[in-house]
Amino acid sequence: MENILQNIALVQQRIANTCERVGRKPEEVKLLLATKTVTPERIKVALNAGYTLIAENKVQELKEKYEALKDTPHTNHFIGHLQTNKIKDILRYEVSCVESVDRLDLAQKLHNRLESEGKELDIFIQVNTSNEESKFGADPSEVLNLVKQVATLPTLHIKGLMTIGLFSAETEKVRACFKLLKHLQQEIIALNLPNVDPRELSMGMSGDLETAIEEGATIVRVGTAIFGKRIYPDSYYWNEK
């Protein structure tokens, strides 16, 4: 359990070092703990130490951990592929932001459910910046149009964009993904749409967070570097078809 806090400190140092190098303030970058496959007991170690922004990839895990975590203050994002038949669970288990809205059908059904429950929700638009068929996310060429359409749904508040960078050891190829997300953010800001305030860029994970911060990330999603390697490959968690 002590390793978790030591690992968080190391990740925070990586964030601080990168920010210093590129002239950013460390407080501009939030650390989101990706808690897929992590037990509630281990998650609570981080929460009790003040690292309270967490996220799940699977609705089933959200359900399974809810009771154990509900009395420990935290903020829960959802970062996995969301099927429309799981929307009710996302709301029931108190997700405050869905970072993975990537299609109009999902946005409309989220809106309908929120409207019927008298609720509102922060969302990010997920973009497939790596152009990989295995990845979810809106096509970059369709993002502006999607944002315009989602902006008309009053229960949904677009707060940013999210992407999963290319899984590659070639830093510049990964960097291109993050540069593209930043470019799209600037284009969306220029539209000055009501109900759209896309300040957040959720990009960068354990292996590429420095590159993401260099390109403007405001949220980095870190799991492995804090909680250790998982028994399944990452591809298992990004797919809920």
Side-chain angles (χ1 to χ4, degrees), residues 216-233:
T218 63
I219 296 175
V220 291
R221 308 182 303 274
V222 183
T224 303
I226 290 169
F227 298 109
K229 291 192 179 296
R230 305 181 187 89
I231 59 171
Y232 297 112

Side-chain angles (χ1 to χ4, degrees), residues 2 9 25-26 35 47 56 59 64 68 101 104 112 117 121 129 133 173 176 198 201 213 220:
E2 286 180 10
K25 297 177 181 177
T35 51
L47 298 183
E56 292 291 346
V59 173
E64 290 168 355
V101 175
L104 184 59
N112 293 343
E117 295 188 14
L121 185 69
T129 55
E133 287 188 14
K173 288 185 177 180
L201 286 179
I213 292 168
V220 291

Side-chain angles (χ1 to χ4, degrees), residues 35 43 46 49 54 96 101 104 135 150-151 155-156 201 207 209 213 230:
T35 51
I43 296 169
I54 66 174
S96 66
V101 175
L104 184 59
K135 297 254 181 77
V150 175
T155 64
L156 298 178
L201 286 179
L209 66 87
I213 292 168
R230 305 181 187 89

Side-chain angles (χ1 to χ4, degrees), residues 166-184:
L166 186 70
F167 293 135
S168 171
E170 296 183 57
T171 301
E172 293 313 305
K173 288 185 177 180
V174 179
R175 186 184 305 281
C177 298
F178 301 147
K179 279 184 176 292
L180 175 54
L181 201 70
K182 180 68 177 180
H183 175 72
L184 289 168

